[in-house]
Amino acid sequence: MSSCEELCRGWGPCAPSPMLLLSLLLTASPLGLLGEETRQVSLEVISDGLDPPQNLLHIRAVGTNSTLHYVWSSLGPLAVLLVATNTPHSTLNVNWSLLISSDPEGSLMVLPKDSIQFSSALVFTRLFEFDSTNTSDAAGKPPGKPYPPYSLAEFSWNNITDSLDPATLSATFRGHPIRDPTGAFASGTLALRVQAFSRSGRPAQPPRLLHTADTCQLEVALVGAIPRGNRSLFGLEVATLGQDPDCPSVQEQRSIDDEYAPAVFQLDQLLWGSLPTGFVQWRPVAFSQKQGSRDSAMPCQASPLYPTLAYLLPQSPIVRAFFGSQNNFCAFNLTFGASTGHGYWDQHYLSWSMLLGVGTPPVDALSPLVLGIMAVALGAPGLMLLAGGLFLMLGHKWQSEYQSIN
Ligand SMILES: *[C@@H]1O[C@H](CO)[C@@H](O)[C@H](O)[C@H]1NC(C)=O
Ligand SMILES: *[C@@H]1O[C@H](CO)[C@@H](O)[C@H](O)[C@H]1NC(C)=O
Ligand SMILES: *[C@@H]1O[C@H](CO)[C@@H](O)[C@H](O)[C@H]1NC(C)=O
Ligand SMILES: *[C@@H]1O[C@H](CO)[C@@H](O)[C@H](O)[C@H]1NC(C)=O
Ligand SMILES: *[C@@H]1O[C@H](CO)[C@@H](O)[C@H](O)[C@H]1NC(C)=O
Ligand SMILES: *[C@@H]1O[C@H](CO)[C@@H](O)[C@H](O)[C@H]1NC(C)=O
């Protein structure tokens, strides 16, 4: 609570009691999370025994009435399938010999088929690098002259089994380009850390996205790769399945600026359909240091989603396997950093996080610190009003419960 104490000093008189009262109030109030509150999460690596390993990571999150399946794979470009079913008993079925064949259609199934309520996929297709010298940082402006992109379909990945951590329900894909003539990735890695959750919470690391048991987090980190210019910006191309004829929508939400995400007033989300649906959610911020902080924060810009011809994108066998070949793809670009300020060039480090899930995306509530500051700003009369209102409200509730018992 050191930052809190500092704030208190800045705000003048500050008794601990209002803070305590308000944090109690906050913990007592429901978070308003929909969906299943807890899930039994298991991580399973489905291996083909080939070298280099082409692993499938199956995350199965079982709730009372539903199961979420996340299937992450480094077969082709790194991709994830998200399948939500309305039974706690649905299973994933994989036929490896068919999956690695030239026509993988039908080799990956979630059964029973009629339990599927929602399914879609994300494919991480290309890593871009731009020369941002002489470019302006105005929003919507191109990030600079592009260098030849790195195709994530031509990456070599680690054996995911070695990074599997059942305690944190996480695993990390670490990869580097198979062909690396300039040696840029000689000691560099692109790491994608996947983490599932059995209940709601918030990680210690910024941007501290609020997660629920209905979500899975991806943290993308580029570490140690030698940039091709002095002011290189990196970008990631993400493809997804659209519903005919539209692409999923991307929404920008104003968000509360608080201790969890200082100076980030926005929450971006991609929604596949009308609510409740599948979603991707992220804060438009990336970090140039492992210890993400306000000092190492960089902007993250997302381009609009556009329909894309499938043959222009590296193809994902797991997407073909599950959805077949007749698909509408939509793609967008994320760009991390700006030509000025902090950048990848500082420490050859860059990280960015997102949540993938189904249902209603988690929404931030006011944090105890912000409520505390409000309480101090309102002062004692405001608090008394608040307490009075609460007393009336609860009194009324008790009264009505008492009556209903009668
Ligand atoms: C991955 O590692 C695990 C445990 O270290 C091993 O059992 C498995 O055979 C490896 N898979 C491949 C494809 O090398
Ligand atoms: C599960 O389904 C049953 C019957 O449809 C329903 O009564 C119950 O509220 C559901 N539970 C949850 C957690 O959705
Ligand atoms: C996997 O697919 C191949 C090719 O279609 C088929 O011959 C084989 O029987 C399948 N294996 C299983 C276990 O279903
Ligand atoms: C940037 O602009 C300066 C002045 O206009 C020019 O001399 C320089 O070559 C430019 N650099 C790049 C990388 O385009
Ligand atoms: C990078 O900066 C150094 C020193 O400022 C300069 O000598 C070099 O030409 C620059 N390289 C590029 C690719 O702009
Ligand atoms: C992403 O940016 C690259 C480089 O500017 C461009 O070639 C590609 O078409 C963009 N992709 C999308 C989906 O906008």
Side-chain angles (χ1 to χ4, degrees):
M1 294 296 273
S2 68
S3 64
C4 166
E5 279 158 18
E6 273 166 37
L7 273 159
C8 287
R9 260 177 261 135
W11 280 89
C14 181
S17 50
M19 293 269 235
L20 190 67
L21 171 67
L22 278 151
S23 19
L24 284 174
L25 267 179
L26 191 89
T27 43
S29 70
L31 274 169
L33 302 173
L34 298 176
E36 305 262 3
E37 287 197 345
T38 61
R39 289 181 183 274
Q40 289 284 338
V41 180
S42 58
L43 280 73
E44 181 196 12
V45 174
I46 306 174
S47 181
D48 63 349
L50 297 177
D51 196 44
Q54 302 285 7
N55 299 310
L56 280 183
L57 172 68
H58 177 211
I59 301 177
R60 189 162 180 267
V62 185
T64 340
N65 285 345
S66 61
T67 306
L68 306 181
H69 299 268
Y70 299 93
V71 184
W72 294 85
S73 178
S74 59
L75 193 60
L78 203 111
V80 57
L81 300 181
L82 166 55
V83 184
T85 66
N86 64 0
T87 156
H89 307 295
S90 58
T91 55
L92 176 75
N93 222 330
V94 183
N95 182 333
W96 261 111
S97 55
L98 192 55
L99 181 59
I100 56 177
S101 73
S102 57
D103 184 13
E105 192 164 337
S107 59
L108 214 150
M109 284 185 279
V110 169
L111 299 173
K113 270 192 167 156
D114 60 5
S115 70
I116 297 175
Q117 305 293 299
F118 175 82
S119 61
S120 196
L122 287 180
V123 187
F124 300 88
T125 45
R126 285 181 286 190
L127 176 69
F128 292 110
E129 184 177 350
F130 304 95
D131 177 7
S132 75
T133 0
N134 288 357
T135 56
S136 82
D137 281 340
K141 286 273 161 25
K145 198 164 77 14
Y147 293 101
Y150 298 104
S151 168
L152 294 199
E154 288 149 29
F155 261 52
S156 154
W157 299 94
N158 66 327
N159 179 346
I160 187 82
T161 313
D162 302 332
S163 68
L164 201 69
D165 182 3
T168 55
L169 304 176
S170 69
T172 307
F173 291 89
R174 286 194 185 83
H176 55 85
I178 295 169
R179 277 180 301 280
D180 185 20
T182 62
F185 276 82
S187 56
T189 328
L190 181 67
L192 292 96
R193 181 171 182 266
V194 173
Q195 186 174 17
F197 309 100
S198 54
R199 52 174 39 81
S200 64
R202 201 188 286 275
Q205 278 287 94
R208 308 202 59 193
L209 285 166
L210 178 67
H211 59 247
T212 70
D214 298 336
T215 63
C216 181
Q217 179 172 282
L218 172 70
E219 184 192 333
V220 180
L222 179 66
V223 188
I226 314 281
R228 285 172 277 186
N230 285 343
R231 294 258 145 182
S232 276
L233 300 186
F234 286 88
L236 194 60
E237 184 180 53
V238 185
T240 180
L241 295 180
Q243 298 120 321
D244 200 23
D246 296 324
C247 282
S249 60
V250 175
Q251 298 179 343
E252 287 180 359
Q253 287 201 333
R254 298 282 101 182
S255 140
I256 302 155
D257 171 53
D258 68 7
E259 65 192 298
Y260 299 130
V264 183
F265 295 92
Q266 197 180 317
L267 193 65
D268 289 356
Q269 54 197 29
L270 177 151
L271 301 171
W272 272 284
S274 50
L275 288 170
T277 176
F279 64 85
V280 181
Q281 191 182 61
W282 69 92
R283 292 231 183 219
V285 62
F287 295 96
S288 63
Q289 284 175 28
K290 200 159 170 44
Q291 294 307 321
S293 66
R294 191 193 284 248
D295 293 337
S296 61
M298 310 185 281
C300 157
Q301 287 188 22
S303 75
L305 251 86
Y306 289 118
T308 308
L309 293 169
Y311 70 84
L312 294 176
L313 298 170
Q315 287 301 293
S316 162
I318 63 163
V319 174
R320 284 276 306 278
F322 189 83
F323 292 98
S325 52
Q326 297 302 310
N327 285 301
N328 304 299
F329 283 94
C330 298
F332 68 109
N333 276 343
L334 292 158
T335 317
F336 311 111
S339 60
T340 51
H342 290 283
Y344 182 77
W345 49 80
D346 291 337
Q347 303 199 347
H348 292 182
Y349 182 89
L350 150 64
S351 77
W352 170 81
S353 308
M354 59 158 241
L355 284 182
L356 172 66
V358 286
T360 309
V363 182
D364 273 312
L366 283 171
S367 72
L369 174 61
V370 171
L371 283 176
I373 292 169
M374 276 164 58
V376 174
L378 283 174
L383 264 178
M384 276 164 74
L385 258 169
L386 192 72
L390 199 78
F391 178 76
L392 283 177
M393 228 168 68
L394 290 181
H396 182 75
K397 201 174 147 214
W398 282 327
Q399 199 179 12
S400 57
E401 271 167 29
Y402 179 73
Q403 278 165 355
S404 70
I405 291 169
N406 267 347

Short mmCIF file of all heavy atoms in Angstrom, two decimals, residues 81-108:
data_model
loop_
_atom_site.label_atom_id
_atom_site.label_comp_id
_atom_site.label_asym_id
_atom_site.label_seq_id
_atom_site.Cartn_x
_atom_site.Cartn_y
_atom_site.Cartn_z
N LEU A 81 -7.85 -22.39 -31.51
CA LEU A 81 -9.28 -22.60 -31.73
C LEU A 81 -9.95 -22.38 -30.39
O LEU A 81 -9.45 -22.83 -29.36
CB LEU A 81 -9.58 -24.04 -32.15
CG LEU A 81 -8.97 -24.61 -33.40
CD1 LEU A 81 -9.46 -26.05 -33.57
CD2 LEU A 81 -9.36 -23.78 -34.60
N LEU A 82 -11.09 -21.73 -30.42
CA LEU A 82 -11.89 -21.57 -29.20
C LEU A 82 -13.25 -22.20 -29.47
O LEU A 82 -13.95 -21.79 -30.40
CB LEU A 82 -12.03 -20.07 -28.89
CG LEU A 82 -13.09 -19.69 -27.86
CD1 LEU A 82 -12.90 -20.41 -26.55
CD2 LEU A 82 -13.05 -18.18 -27.62
N VAL A 83 -13.59 -23.22 -28.69
CA VAL A 83 -14.85 -23.92 -28.87
C VAL A 83 -15.56 -23.98 -27.52
O VAL A 83 -15.01 -24.49 -26.55
CB VAL A 83 -14.62 -25.35 -29.42
CG1 VAL A 83 -15.96 -26.03 -29.69
CG2 VAL A 83 -13.78 -25.32 -30.68
N ALA A 84 -16.79 -23.46 -27.46
CA ALA A 84 -17.57 -23.48 -26.23
C ALA A 84 -18.74 -24.43 -26.41
O ALA A 84 -19.45 -24.36 -27.41
CB ALA A 84 -18.08 -22.08 -25.90
N THR A 85 -18.93 -25.33 -25.45
CA THR A 85 -20.04 -26.28 -25.53
C THR A 85 -20.93 -26.15 -24.30
O THR A 85 -20.49 -25.65 -23.26
CB THR A 85 -19.51 -27.73 -25.60
OG1 THR A 85 -18.88 -28.05 -24.35
CG2 THR A 85 -18.53 -27.92 -26.73
N ASN A 86 -22.15 -26.64 -24.41
CA ASN A 86 -23.09 -26.49 -23.28
C ASN A 86 -23.20 -27.77 -22.45
O ASN A 86 -24.23 -28.05 -21.87
CB ASN A 86 -24.47 -26.07 -23.79
CG ASN A 86 -25.09 -27.13 -24.69
OD1 ASN A 86 -24.48 -28.17 -24.93
ND2 ASN A 86 -26.28 -26.86 -25.20
N THR A 87 -22.12 -28.53 -22.42
CA THR A 87 -22.10 -29.72 -21.58
C THR A 87 -20.75 -29.84 -20.87
O THR A 87 -19.73 -29.43 -21.43
CB THR A 87 -22.35 -31.01 -22.40
OG1 THR A 87 -21.79 -32.12 -21.71
CG2 THR A 87 -21.71 -30.93 -23.76
N PRO A 88 -20.74 -30.37 -19.64
CA PRO A 88 -19.44 -30.58 -18.98
C PRO A 88 -18.70 -31.80 -19.51
O PRO A 88 -17.61 -32.11 -19.03
CB PRO A 88 -19.82 -30.75 -17.51
CG PRO A 88 -21.23 -31.21 -17.51
CD PRO A 88 -21.88 -30.66 -18.74
N HIS A 89 -19.27 -32.49 -20.50
CA HIS A 89 -18.68 -33.76 -20.95
C HIS A 89 -18.09 -33.73 -22.35
O HIS A 89 -17.73 -34.78 -22.87
CB HIS A 89 -19.72 -34.87 -20.87
CG HIS A 89 -20.37 -34.98 -19.53
ND1 HIS A 89 -19.67 -35.34 -18.39
CD2 HIS A 89 -21.64 -34.74 -19.13
CE1 HIS A 89 -20.49 -35.33 -17.36
NE2 HIS A 89 -21.69 -34.97 -17.77
N SER A 90 -18.02 -32.56 -23.01
CA SER A 90 -17.53 -32.56 -24.40
C SER A 90 -16.03 -32.87 -24.45
O SER A 90 -15.28 -32.57 -23.52
CB SER A 90 -17.84 -31.23 -25.08
OG SER A 90 -17.26 -30.17 -24.37
N THR A 91 -15.62 -33.49 -25.53
CA THR A 91 -14.22 -33.91 -25.66
C THR A 91 -13.64 -33.48 -27.00
O THR A 91 -14.37 -33.19 -27.95
CB THR A 91 -14.10 -35.45 -25.58
OG1 THR A 91 -14.97 -36.01 -26.57
CG2 THR A 91 -14.49 -35.97 -24.20
N LEU A 92 -12.30 -33.48 -27.04
CA LEU A 92 -11.59 -33.15 -28.28
C LEU A 92 -11.06 -34.43 -28.89
O LEU A 92 -10.48 -35.27 -28.20
CB LEU A 92 -10.43 -32.20 -27.97
CG LEU A 92 -9.53 -31.83 -29.15
CD1 LEU A 92 -10.21 -30.85 -30.07
CD2 LEU A 92 -8.21 -31.25 -28.66
N ASN A 93 -11.25 -34.56 -30.18
CA ASN A 93 -10.82 -35.75 -30.89
C ASN A 93 -9.83 -35.35 -31.98
O ASN A 93 -10.15 -34.49 -32.81
CB ASN A 93 -12.06 -36.37 -31.55
CG ASN A 93 -12.05 -37.86 -31.42
OD1 ASN A 93 -10.98 -38.45 -31.38
ND2 ASN A 93 -13.23 -38.45 -31.36
N VAL A 94 -8.62 -35.92 -31.97
CA VAL A 94 -7.60 -35.53 -32.96
C VAL A 94 -7.11 -36.75 -33.71
O VAL A 94 -6.76 -37.77 -33.11
CB VAL A 94 -6.39 -34.86 -32.28
CG1 VAL A 94 -5.39 -34.40 -33.32
CG2 VAL A 94 -6.82 -33.69 -31.42
N ASN A 95 -7.09 -36.67 -35.02
CA ASN A 95 -6.47 -37.71 -35.85
C ASN A 95 -5.18 -37.11 -36.43
O ASN A 95 -5.22 -36.36 -37.40
CB ASN A 95 -7.45 -38.11 -36.96
CG ASN A 95 -6.90 -39.22 -37.84
OD1 ASN A 95 -5.69 -39.36 -37.98
ND2 ASN A 95 -7.79 -39.98 -38.46
N TRP A 96 -4.04 -37.45 -35.80
CA TRP A 96 -2.77 -36.81 -36.17
C TRP A 96 -2.38 -37.07 -37.62
O TRP A 96 -1.93 -36.16 -38.31
CB TRP A 96 -1.64 -37.29 -35.25
CG TRP A 96 -1.35 -36.29 -34.16
CD1 TRP A 96 -1.60 -36.45 -32.84
CD2 TRP A 96 -0.79 -34.98 -34.31
NE1 TRP A 96 -1.24 -35.33 -32.15
CE2 TRP A 96 -0.73 -34.41 -33.02
CE3 TRP A 96 -0.34 -34.23 -35.40
CZ2 TRP A 96 -0.23 -33.13 -32.79
CZ3 TRP A 96 0.16 -32.95 -35.16
CH2 TRP A 96 0.22 -32.41 -33.88
N SER A 97 -2.52 -38.32 -38.06
CA SER A 97 -2.03 -38.62 -39.42
C SER A 97 -2.81 -37.80 -40.44
O SER A 97 -2.26 -37.33 -41.43
CB SER A 97 -2.12 -40.12 -39.70
OG SER A 97 -3.45 -40.56 -39.48
N LEU A 98 -4.09 -37.58 -40.16
CA LEU A 98 -4.90 -36.77 -41.06
C LEU A 98 -4.55 -35.29 -40.90
O LEU A 98 -4.47 -34.53 -41.88
CB LEU A 98 -6.38 -37.01 -40.76
CG LEU A 98 -7.41 -36.50 -41.76
CD1 LEU A 98 -7.12 -37.03 -43.16
CD2 LEU A 98 -8.82 -36.91 -41.34
N LEU A 99 -4.29 -34.88 -39.66
CA LEU A 99 -4.01 -33.47 -39.39
C LEU A 99 -2.75 -32.98 -40.10
O LEU A 99 -2.72 -31.85 -40.60
CB LEU A 99 -3.88 -33.24 -37.87
CG LEU A 99 -3.61 -31.81 -37.40
CD1 LEU A 99 -4.70 -30.85 -37.85
CD2 LEU A 99 -3.46 -31.75 -35.89
N ILE A 100 -1.73 -33.81 -40.15
CA ILE A 100 -0.49 -33.36 -40.79
C ILE A 100 -0.47 -33.69 -42.28
O ILE A 100 0.51 -33.43 -42.97
CB ILE A 100 0.77 -33.91 -40.09
CG1 ILE A 100 0.73 -35.44 -40.03
CG2 ILE A 100 0.92 -33.34 -38.70
CD1 ILE A 100 1.98 -36.05 -39.40
N SER A 101 -1.59 -34.22 -42.80
CA SER A 101 -1.67 -34.50 -44.24
C SER A 101 -2.00 -33.21 -44.99
O SER A 101 -2.24 -32.17 -44.38
CB SER A 101 -2.74 -35.56 -44.50
OG SER A 101 -4.02 -35.00 -44.34
N SER A 102 -2.03 -33.30 -46.33
CA SER A 102 -2.29 -32.09 -47.12
C SER A 102 -3.76 -31.67 -47.04
O SER A 102 -4.09 -30.54 -47.34
CB SER A 102 -1.88 -32.32 -48.57
OG SER A 102 -2.58 -33.45 -49.07
N ASP A 103 -4.63 -32.58 -46.65
CA ASP A 103 -6.04 -32.21 -46.51
C ASP A 103 -6.54 -32.58 -45.11
O ASP A 103 -7.13 -33.63 -44.89
CB ASP A 103 -6.87 -32.92 -47.59
CG ASP A 103 -8.33 -32.50 -47.53
OD1 ASP A 103 -8.63 -31.50 -46.84
OD2 ASP A 103 -9.17 -33.17 -48.15
N PRO A 104 -6.29 -31.68 -44.15
CA PRO A 104 -6.57 -32.03 -42.75
C PRO A 104 -8.04 -31.93 -42.34
O PRO A 104 -8.36 -32.16 -41.17
CB PRO A 104 -5.73 -31.02 -41.96
CG PRO A 104 -5.60 -29.85 -42.86
CD PRO A 104 -5.68 -30.35 -44.27
N GLU A 105 -8.91 -31.57 -43.26
CA GLU A 105 -10.30 -31.33 -42.91
C GLU A 105 -10.91 -32.51 -42.15
O GLU A 105 -10.78 -33.66 -42.56
CB GLU A 105 -11.11 -31.06 -44.19
CG GLU A 105 -12.48 -30.52 -43.88
CD GLU A 105 -13.14 -29.89 -45.12
OE1 GLU A 105 -12.42 -29.49 -46.06
OE2 GLU A 105 -14.38 -29.81 -45.12
N GLY A 106 -11.53 -32.23 -41.03
CA GLY A 106 -12.21 -33.26 -40.25
C GLY A 106 -11.32 -33.99 -39.25
O GLY A 106 -11.79 -34.86 -38.52
N SER A 107 -10.04 -33.60 -39.16
CA SER A 107 -9.14 -34.33 -38.29
C SER A 107 -9.17 -33.82 -36.85
O SER A 107 -8.54 -34.40 -35.97
CB SER A 107 -7.71 -34.25 -38.82
OG SER A 107 -7.31 -32.91 -38.91
N LEU A 108 -9.90 -32.76 -36.62
CA LEU A 108 -9.97 -32.20 -35.28
C LEU A 108 -11.43 -31.90 -34.98
O LEU A 108 -12.05 -31.10 -35.68
CB LEU A 108 -9.14 -30.92 -35.27
CG LEU A 108 -8.38 -30.56 -34.02
CD1 LEU A 108 -7.14 -29.77 -34.41
CD2 LEU A 108 -9.23 -29.72 -33.14
#
